[in-house]
Amino acid sequence: MTTRIDRRFEALKKEGRAALVTFVTAGDPDYDTSLKIIAGLPKAGADVIEIGMPFTDPMADGPAIQAAGLRALAAGQNMKKTLKLVKDFRKQDKDTPIVLMGYYNPVYVYGVEKFLKDSKTAGVDGYIIVDLPPEEDGEFCIPALKAGQNFIRLATPTTDDHRAPTVFHNTSGFVYYVSVLGITGTKAPDLKSVKANVNRLRKHTKLPICVGFGVKSAEQARAIAKDADGVVVGSALVQAVEKSLTKAGKPTSKTAKAVHALVSDIAQGVRS
């Protein structure tokens, strides 16, 4: 069974270009603004959209995404509203792949079977659950695959040739290569290292490899797109949200526009 993610990467391969994968946090800074941001991403140049599921203890995320999660939670965002966000997006966009990204705890609390059913009904195509290693595939990965959805795994600079086959065993959709060691959005990727590791990991998987963590500019995106199948931008977009808010943390008329303008700029880099 092919998913929207599979079809999108196949189409981009025929176009001969890399994907732009954008990450934003669900409900940041509030539900309506979040929906407006997500709804405008495809037109701005996003090929795949990752939506962060807000969580109180996001251990892999840097200050920007942590702050976004806290803003969303303070505004009343929860899992039901996150799935509603996808459902509302799907009313106007049937084609752009949606990936939910986050931690296992909120999924476990919601109930895996119910979560998979409700998220598929809403229009979710795949998942990145950062704290579920391959050894725990029975918890969520395999049920997701059986439901006809993709389970996208993270690979890092420390994913060596011995570990890679285990990491990629049940991975589908694409591989998310974490270009730096540490948390999101705090370091710039080393382009030589990215190229070497992407080429090394290709020996272990035929899946598209998308590179993220620390990508902030069109120039970086252009350089990474030469070697990778996709470029992931997250913290920079979340920071664009934060910078547009009032001192009280409320959205302004510039909030969605700021995100879409940055996506458009980076998309030009990916496409050039």
Side-chain angles (χ1 to χ4, degrees), residues 37-118:
I37 289 169
I38 293 167
L41 289 173
K43 188 177 178 182
D47 298 300
V48 179
I49 299 172
E50 291 177 5
I51 299 177
M53 301 178 284
F55 181 47
T56 52
D57 189 21
M59 60 188 178
D61 293 314
I65 294 177
Q66 283 191 27
L70 291 175
R71 285 194 299 270
L73 291 169
Q77 191 69 14
N78 56 32
M79 191 64 84
K80 284 185 178 179
K81 286 186 176 180
T82 297
L83 297 182
K84 184 178 185 298
L85 200 60
V86 178
K87 201 169 185 177
D88 286 344
F89 172 81
R90 284 283 173 235
K91 290 174 184 176
Q92 64 175 49
D93 190 312
K94 305 292 185 190
D95 300 317
T96 304
I98 294 282
V99 175
L100 293 184
M101 183 172 185
Y103 301 83
Y104 186 50
N105 182 278
V107 173
Y108 178 79
V109 170
Y110 193 95
V112 170
E113 192 175 330
K114 181 173 169 51
F115 175 76
L116 286 170
K117 182 183 175 183
D118 291 353

Side-chain angles (χ1 to χ4, degrees), residues 51 77-78 80 118 141 143 150 166 193 208 210 215 236 257:
I51 299 177
Q77 191 69 14
N78 56 32
K80 284 185 178 179
D118 291 353
C141 171
N150 293 125
T166 303
S193 170
C210 299
V215 179
K257 290 177 185 175

